[in-house]
Amino acid sequence: MNLILLGPPGAGKGTQAKKLVVSTSMPQISTGDMLRAGVAAGTDLGKQAKEHMDAGRLVPDEVVIGLVEERLAQADCKEGFMLDGFPRTVHQAEILEKMLDGMGRQIDNVLLLDVDDEELVKRITGRRTCGKCGAIYHLVFSPPPSDDTCSCGSIGLVQRADDNEVTVRERLTAYHDQTSPLIDFYGNRGVLRKVSGTGKKADEVFEQSKKVLGLG
Ligand code: ADP
Ligand code: ADP
Ligand code: ZN
């Protein structure tokens, strides 16, 4: 299955992707993670991306598209993949469609995680991640086993630089203006599957997601 996880920042795309990786062994391709790795390593691409990310704006399409094209060509994507955070503009979606077309492939499902803006702000400002294994926690909704320690044993969970209330509002505006048109784009192609996540625990969202994706 070639799957896209679509939804606003904080909707739970990363959380659901990690559960789906375990149950399907499809690789998770997170453009946010790839961009943050570029920023941390100080690559040219990271330098181009950083100011946009810090301001809560989208990174220019051409920067992100190149990353995804390279990643999809790798062997572990042959049997299927899960795109987390890409595409985020109609232009990205059109390029992706052409790219896959050239490989004789297509998007089979787009899982839309729908969550209210006010809940998104709470989720994002409380998000903490493990720098070592990538585990995603929330101070209130999904707390780590102890204050500052991941279940993998790593000490020192981190808060993303862009996970503050001001930047979150910018990111929500970017989502509503630039990304939400993808709901119609994929709806018109008959591949959109929607799960409402407001007020639902991650495990419950996962069960519903598997159902709408036909994963049992
Ligand atoms: P996204 O990848 O869409 O930005 P994440 O998966 O990183 O979202 O989740 C954002 C935050 O919300 C994290 O702190 C995560 O632990 C928390 N979270 C995820 N799913 C739920 C849920 N169903 N209910 C409450 N909090 C959640
Ligand atoms: P979240 O799901 O919390 O919004 P991500 O990790 O997906 O966070 O993205 C973080 C930031 O990385 C975005 O605010 C944006 O600046 C950049 N980014 C990630 N994916 C894309 C994309 N497909 N197109 C443009 N910018 C992107
Ligand atoms: Zn960890």
PDB file of all heavy atoms in Angstrom, residues 140-158:
ATOM      1  N   VAL A 140       0.894  15.580  29.206  1.00  0.00           N
ATOM      2  CA  VAL A 140      -0.361  15.231  29.882  1.00  0.00           C
ATOM      3  C   VAL A 140      -1.030  14.006  29.256  1.00  0.00           C
ATOM      4  O   VAL A 140      -1.431  13.071  29.947  1.00  0.00           O
ATOM      5  CB  VAL A 140      -1.349  16.427  29.835  1.00  0.00           C
ATOM      6  CG1 VAL A 140      -2.666  16.064  30.515  1.00  0.00           C
ATOM      7  CG2 VAL A 140      -0.723  17.665  30.457  1.00  0.00           C
ATOM      8  N   PHE A 141      -1.150  13.981  27.918  1.00  0.00           N
ATOM      9  CA  PHE A 141      -1.949  12.945  27.236  1.00  0.00           C
ATOM     10  C   PHE A 141      -1.215  11.616  27.062  1.00  0.00           C
ATOM     11  O   PHE A 141      -1.839  10.574  26.882  1.00  0.00           O
ATOM     12  CB  PHE A 141      -2.403  13.445  25.866  1.00  0.00           C
ATOM     13  CG  PHE A 141      -3.149  14.751  25.907  1.00  0.00           C
ATOM     14  CD1 PHE A 141      -2.893  15.734  24.971  1.00  0.00           C
ATOM     15  CD2 PHE A 141      -4.099  14.987  26.894  1.00  0.00           C
ATOM     16  CE1 PHE A 141      -3.579  16.959  25.007  1.00  0.00           C
ATOM     17  CE2 PHE A 141      -4.790  16.201  26.939  1.00  0.00           C
ATOM     18  CZ  PHE A 141      -4.524  17.187  26.001  1.00  0.00           C
ATOM     19  N   SER A 142       0.122  11.673  27.062  1.00  0.00           N
ATOM     20  CA  SER A 142       0.888  10.444  26.831  1.00  0.00           C
ATOM     21  C   SER A 142       2.263  10.591  27.468  1.00  0.00           C
ATOM     22  O   SER A 142       3.287  10.664  26.789  1.00  0.00           O
ATOM     23  CB  SER A 142       1.010  10.230  25.305  1.00  0.00           C
ATOM     24  OG  SER A 142       1.795   9.126  25.021  1.00  0.00           O
ATOM     25  N   PRO A 143       2.271  10.689  28.832  1.00  0.00           N
ATOM     26  CA  PRO A 143       3.508  11.048  29.526  1.00  0.00           C
ATOM     27  C   PRO A 143       4.583   9.955  29.443  1.00  0.00           C
ATOM     28  O   PRO A 143       4.252   8.775  29.354  1.00  0.00           O
ATOM     29  CB  PRO A 143       3.056  11.263  30.977  1.00  0.00           C
ATOM     30  CG  PRO A 143       1.734  10.619  31.103  1.00  0.00           C
ATOM     31  CD  PRO A 143       1.133  10.509  29.743  1.00  0.00           C
ATOM     32  N   PRO A 144       5.844  10.370  29.472  1.00  0.00           N
ATOM     33  CA  PRO A 144       6.950   9.408  29.483  1.00  0.00           C
ATOM     34  C   PRO A 144       6.960   8.646  30.809  1.00  0.00           C
ATOM     35  O   PRO A 144       6.379   9.133  31.792  1.00  0.00           O
ATOM     36  CB  PRO A 144       8.191  10.287  29.338  1.00  0.00           C
ATOM     37  CG  PRO A 144       7.773  11.645  29.799  1.00  0.00           C
ATOM     38  CD  PRO A 144       6.316  11.767  29.495  1.00  0.00           C
ATOM     39  N   PRO A 145       7.618   7.475  30.850  1.00  0.00           N
ATOM     40  CA  PRO A 145       7.625   6.649  32.065  1.00  0.00           C
ATOM     41  C   PRO A 145       8.080   7.426  33.297  1.00  0.00           C
ATOM     42  O   PRO A 145       7.536   7.258  34.380  1.00  0.00           O
ATOM     43  CB  PRO A 145       8.603   5.520  31.741  1.00  0.00           C
ATOM     44  CG  PRO A 145       9.078   5.723  30.347  1.00  0.00           C
ATOM     45  CD  PRO A 145       8.367   6.865  29.740  1.00  0.00           C
ATOM     46  N   SER A 146       9.080   8.263  33.175  1.00  0.00           N
ATOM     47  CA  SER A 146       9.407   9.187  34.266  1.00  0.00           C
ATOM     48  C   SER A 146       9.786  10.516  33.636  1.00  0.00           C
ATOM     49  O   SER A 146      10.111  10.561  32.451  1.00  0.00           O
ATOM     50  CB  SER A 146      10.542   8.638  35.131  1.00  0.00           C
ATOM     51  OG  SER A 146      11.757   8.818  34.461  1.00  0.00           O
ATOM     52  N   ASP A 147       9.740  11.558  34.457  1.00  0.00           N
ATOM     53  CA  ASP A 147       9.855  12.931  33.992  1.00  0.00           C
ATOM     54  C   ASP A 147      10.617  13.183  32.690  1.00  0.00           C
ATOM     55  O   ASP A 147      10.101  13.752  31.749  1.00  0.00           O
ATOM     56  CB  ASP A 147      10.481  13.793  35.093  1.00  0.00           C
ATOM     57  CG  ASP A 147       9.425  14.705  35.696  1.00  0.00           C
ATOM     58  OD1 ASP A 147       8.239  14.506  35.349  1.00  0.00           O
ATOM     59  OD2 ASP A 147       9.792  15.579  36.491  1.00  0.00           O
ATOM     60  N   ASP A 148      11.876  12.760  32.660  1.00  0.00           N
ATOM     61  CA  ASP A 148      12.737  13.184  31.569  1.00  0.00           C
ATOM     62  C   ASP A 148      13.372  11.984  30.878  1.00  0.00           C
ATOM     63  O   ASP A 148      14.378  12.119  30.184  1.00  0.00           O
ATOM     64  CB  ASP A 148      13.826  14.101  32.165  1.00  0.00           C
ATOM     65  CG  ASP A 148      14.347  15.072  31.131  1.00  0.00           C
ATOM     66  OD1 ASP A 148      13.604  15.374  30.185  1.00  0.00           O
ATOM     67  OD2 ASP A 148      15.504  15.491  31.262  1.00  0.00           O
ATOM     68  N   THR A 149      12.783  10.800  31.066  1.00  0.00           N
ATOM     69  CA  THR A 149      13.431   9.594  30.556  1.00  0.00           C
ATOM     70  C   THR A 149      12.498   8.836  29.620  1.00  0.00           C
ATOM     71  O   THR A 149      11.340   8.604  29.918  1.00  0.00           O
ATOM     72  CB  THR A 149      13.830   8.667  31.734  1.00  0.00           C
ATOM     73  OG1 THR A 149      14.586   9.430  32.654  1.00  0.00           O
ATOM     74  CG2 THR A 149      14.663   7.487  31.241  1.00  0.00           C
ATOM     75  N   CYS A 150      13.034   8.440  28.465  1.00  0.00           N
ATOM     76  CA  CYS A 150      12.264   7.679  27.480  1.00  0.00           C
ATOM     77  C   CYS A 150      12.205   6.204  27.862  1.00  0.00           C
ATOM     78  O   CYS A 150      13.061   5.725  28.606  1.00  0.00           O
ATOM     79  CB  CYS A 150      12.934   7.842  26.117  1.00  0.00           C
ATOM     80  SG  CYS A 150      12.084   6.980  24.787  1.00  0.00           S
ATOM     81  N   SER A 151      11.229   5.480  27.304  1.00  0.00           N
ATOM     82  CA  SER A 151      11.153   4.045  27.591  1.00  0.00           C
ATOM     83  C   SER A 151      12.369   3.313  27.026  1.00  0.00           C
ATOM     84  O   SER A 151      12.671   2.200  27.417  1.00  0.00           O
ATOM     85  CB  SER A 151       9.860   3.451  27.029  1.00  0.00           C
ATOM     86  OG  SER A 151       9.842   3.638  25.633  1.00  0.00           O
ATOM     87  N   CYS A 152      13.120   3.936  26.100  1.00  0.00           N
ATOM     88  CA  CYS A 152      14.341   3.308  25.558  1.00  0.00           C
ATOM     89  C   CYS A 152      15.522   3.509  26.502  1.00  0.00           C
ATOM     90  O   CYS A 152      16.610   2.996  26.260  1.00  0.00           O
ATOM     91  CB  CYS A 152      14.672   3.850  24.162  1.00  0.00           C
ATOM     92  SG  CYS A 152      15.468   5.470  24.172  1.00  0.00           S
ATOM     93  N   GLY A 153      15.319   4.295  27.584  1.00  0.00           N
ATOM     94  CA  GLY A 153      16.381   4.501  28.560  1.00  0.00           C
ATOM     95  C   GLY A 153      17.116   5.823  28.379  1.00  0.00           C
ATOM     96  O   GLY A 153      17.862   6.253  29.259  1.00  0.00           O
ATOM     97  N   SER A 154      16.903   6.469  27.251  1.00  0.00           N
ATOM     98  CA  SER A 154      17.591   7.729  26.987  1.00  0.00           C
ATOM     99  C   SER A 154      17.055   8.837  27.905  1.00  0.00           C
ATOM    100  O   SER A 154      15.847   8.966  28.098  1.00  0.00           O
ATOM    101  CB  SER A 154      17.410   8.102  25.514  1.00  0.00           C
ATOM    102  OG  SER A 154      17.945   9.374  25.275  1.00  0.00           O
ATOM    103  N   ILE A 155      17.972   9.624  28.449  1.00  0.00           N
ATOM    104  CA  ILE A 155      17.580  10.701  29.361  1.00  0.00           C
ATOM    105  C   ILE A 155      17.616  12.031  28.617  1.00  0.00           C
ATOM    106  O   ILE A 155      18.520  12.291  27.838  1.00  0.00           O
ATOM    107  CB  ILE A 155      18.526  10.747  30.583  1.00  0.00           C
ATOM    108  CG1 ILE A 155      18.438   9.414  31.334  1.00  0.00           C
ATOM    109  CG2 ILE A 155      18.155  11.907  31.522  1.00  0.00           C
ATOM    110  CD1 ILE A 155      19.516   9.236  32.388  1.00  0.00           C
ATOM    111  N   GLY A 156      16.599  12.873  28.845  1.00  0.00           N
ATOM    112  CA  GLY A 156      16.591  14.193  28.224  1.00  0.00           C
ATOM    113  C   GLY A 156      15.680  14.263  27.013  1.00  0.00           C
ATOM    114  O   GLY A 156      16.132  14.268  25.881  1.00  0.00           O
ATOM    115  N   LEU A 157      14.373  14.288  27.246  1.00  0.00           N
ATOM    116  CA  LEU A 157      13.424  14.440  26.132  1.00  0.00           C
ATOM    117  C   LEU A 157      13.471  15.880  25.645  1.00  0.00           C
ATOM    118  O   LEU A 157      13.776  16.786  26.404  1.00  0.00           O
ATOM    119  CB  LEU A 157      12.019  14.077  26.603  1.00  0.00           C
ATOM    120  CG  LEU A 157      11.880  12.632  27.086  1.00  0.00           C
ATOM    121  CD1 LEU A 157      10.497  12.402  27.686  1.00  0.00           C
ATOM    122  CD2 LEU A 157      12.112  11.660  25.931  1.00  0.00           C
ATOM    123  N   VAL A 158      13.201  16.085  24.358  1.00  0.00           N
ATOM    124  CA  VAL A 158      13.337  17.437  23.817  1.00  0.00           C
ATOM    125  C   VAL A 158      12.003  18.009  23.335  1.00  0.00           C
ATOM    126  O   VAL A 158      11.109  17.283  22.903  1.00  0.00           O
ATOM    127  CB  VAL A 158      14.355  17.483  22.645  1.00  0.00           C
ATOM    128  CG1 VAL A 158      15.773  17.341  23.166  1.00  0.00           C
ATOM    129  CG2 VAL A 158      14.056  16.427  21.596  1.00  0.00           C
TER     130      VAL A 158
END
